[in-house]
Amino acid sequence: MSSAVQPIVWARDHLRLLDQRLLPAEVRYLECRSPGDVADAIHAMAVRGAPAIGIAAAYGLVLALRADRDGFDAAEQMLAASRPTAVNLRWALERMRRQWASHRDIDALEAEAVAIQREDLEQNLRMGELGAALLPDRDARVLTHCNTGALATGGHGTALGVIRSAYAQGRISQVFNTETRPWLQGARLTAWELMQDGIPTRLLVDGAAAHLMHRQRIDWVIVGADRIAANGDTANKIGTYALALAARAHGARFMVVAPSGTFDLRCADGASIPIEERPDEELTMYRGEPVAPAGCRAFNPVFDVTPAHLIDAVVCERGVVLQPTADKLARLIG
Ligand code: MRU
C-alpha cells in the first residue's frame, strides 16, 4: 500500500515537484529547471520531509550539471544551504559528489539520483515490515506526528510506512495524528494520505497529545527523523520531544523510523544538531491575516531533539535497535 500521488517526478530536463503548501485543497506541480528553482522549493517548503528534500536536491545537481559541467560546487552549496536540519540533504549531495568525482558523466549522475529515489522507497518498505513487527498483533492504537508518508519520501513513508504496513497486516485499529503547528503537515498531509488509504485516523491539536495518552490507551508513538546523532538523540519536527516525554509518562512506547541516510555519526549528540528557526510570520500570521498583535515577536524553531533515553526503538532498513546507545548505533550504521 502506498499513496498514488507522486510528489517528485523527474522529467529529465526539469523536475516536477508537487507543491505541498497547497495540499489538500489543490494538486499542482512546480516545474524546477535549475538548481536555484529546487533550492527555492526546498526552502519555501513546497517539497519537505527529510528524504524528499535529499531526493529533490540530487535531481537539482543533475539540472546544474546539464547547464554547466563546472557547476557542481556552486549548485551543491546552494542546495545544501536551503534547509539546515535534515541531514538527508547533505547525505544525498555527498553521494552525488562521489558519483560525479568518479565518472564525471552526467548520465551516470542522473542514474544516481534516480537510484536514490528508488532505494528510498525500497528502504521504506523494509522499515515498514520491521517496524510493524514491533506492534501488537491486533488492535494497536498509535499516534504519529508531522507527515512522514509518501509525500515526505520516495514512497510509502518512514513512520507512516510502518503504520501503512502494520494496518495492512491487521495490527492497527486506530491511528491518531497531530495537526503539527504551524505548517499543519499532519492535518493537511498525513490525514490526507491516511484517508486515501482508508486507514482510520483522528486528528488532534498538538497540545491534546498528553491528554489523549492520559485518557486513552496509546501503544506506540511512531515518528520519523531529520537527523539521528551518534548517541541516538533524534531531531524531528517541533513537538516530537514533548510527545516522547508524554509517552514515557503514560506508558506508551516511542519508535523512531528513519533510513540510514538520516544518521549522522559526525554529530556526537543532539546538542550539535543545527535546529532550523523560521520567520516570526509563520506564527503571527495565518494565510495573510494577523493572528497576534502587530509587532509581536515569536520563537519559531521547527525541529527539536528527543534524547535517546526516551526512545524505545529505532527502525532503519538495516535493522531495529531497541533502547539506542552509541555502541548499538555504531554497529548498525558504522
Ligand atoms: O519541516 P518538514 O515538514 O520538512 O519536517 C518533516 C519532519 O519533521 C519529518 O518527521 C521528517 O522529515 C521525517 S520524514 C520521513
Side-chain angles (χ1 to χ4, degrees):
M1 248 198 307
S2 38
S3 174
V5 175
Q6 288 291 323
I8 303 172
V9 181
W10 177 236
R12 309 227 43 204
D13 65 338
H14 68 279
L15 179 65
R16 299 182 74 222
L17 293 176
L18 179 62
D19 190 339
Q20 299 190 26
R21 296 166 301 182
L22 306 177
L23 290 173
E26 196 180 335
V27 174
R28 194 197 302 167
Y29 283 84
L30 290 176
E31 285 195 2
C32 297
R33 296 192 173 271
S34 70
D37 290 348
V38 178
D40 289 348
I42 293 172
H43 182 69
M45 310 270 294
V47 58
R48 32 66 49 202
I53 64 180
I55 294 165
Y59 286 122
L61 283 176
V62 181
L63 295 173
L65 274 284
R66 284 251 168 82
D68 173 8
R69 280 188 65 85
D70 296 320
F72 195 103
D73 292 356
E76 183 183 33
Q77 271 175 28
M78 180 167 41
L79 288 159
S82 59
R83 285 193 80 188
T85 302
V87 76
N88 307 61
L89 180 59
R90 188 185 79 198
W91 172 87
L93 294 172
E94 287 179 353
R95 181 167 158 178
M96 294 291 280
R97 171 172 284 283
R98 286 194 296 276
Q99 170 60 239
W100 181 245
S102 53
H103 294 99
R104 296 190 73 79
D105 177 76
I106 294 179
D107 289 342
L109 194 70
E110 178 182 10
E112 191 74 4
V114 171
I116 289 174
Q117 185 173 17
R118 188 194 60 241
E119 287 168 21
D120 191 65
L121 171 60
E122 291 164 4
Q123 290 167 351
N124 290 341
L125 292 167
R126 174 82 187 128
M127 293 190 297
E129 294 298 309
L130 292 171
L134 298 174
L135 268 54
D137 290 346
R138 52 184 290 279
D139 194 28
R141 294 161 56 86
V142 303
L143 170 64
T144 191
H145 187 47
C146 197
N147 174 265
T148 61
L151 293 167
T153 65
H156 197 63
T158 56
L160 211 60
V162 167
I163 290 172
R164 282 195 160 102
S165 298
Y167 184 77
Q169 294 172 8
R171 293 176 187 265
I172 290 181
S173 59
Q174 185 66 53
V175 179
F176 292 87
N177 77 275
T178 60
E179 59 175 359
T180 318
R181 289 279 300 145
W183 276 82
L184 302 176
Q185 291 95 328
R188 295 186 302 105
L189 309 177
T190 299
W192 189 65
E193 286 200 46
L194 287 169
M195 289 171 72
Q196 281 184 337
D197 282 354
I199 300 175
T201 192
R202 291 189 69 180
L203 178 65
L204 55 145
V205 297
D206 299 1
H211 174 75
L212 170 70
M213 288 186 240
H214 188 51
R215 289 290 177 90
Q216 299 190 30
R217 170 174 56 87
I218 294 295
D219 299 293
W220 283 90
V221 176
I222 309 177
V223 298
D226 283 78
R227 193 182 300 224
I228 301 176
N231 72 342
D233 291 354
T234 294
N236 190 51
K237 180 52 55 193
I238 191 74
T240 303
Y241 177 33
L243 291 178
L245 288 166
R248 184 56 56 93
H250 294 99
R253 289 199 280 171
F254 195 87
M255 185 192 305
V256 173
V257 188
S260 44
T262 307
F263 291 74
D264 185 1
L265 302 190
R266 291 180 236 173
C267 274
D269 56 36
S272 41
I273 299 178
I275 298 294
E276 179 180 9
E277 291 193 22
R278 293 186 63 94
D280 289 10
E281 291 69 33
E282 292 185 355
L283 299 188
T284 60
M285 308 284 286
Y286 182 71
R287 300 206 162 156
E289 293 293 324
V291 291
C296 177
R297 289 300 318 278
F299 173 54
N300 187 20
V302 299
F303 298 99
D304 60 24
V305 175
T306 299
H309 70 86
L310 293 176
I311 298 170
D312 294 292
V314 174
V315 175
C316 171
E317 82 281 1
R318 298 189 187 175
V320 173
V321 167
L322 301 178
Q323 274 70 48
T325 61
D327 283 350
K328 291 181 191 174
L329 292 182
R331 277 198 293 278
L332 183 78
I333 301 295

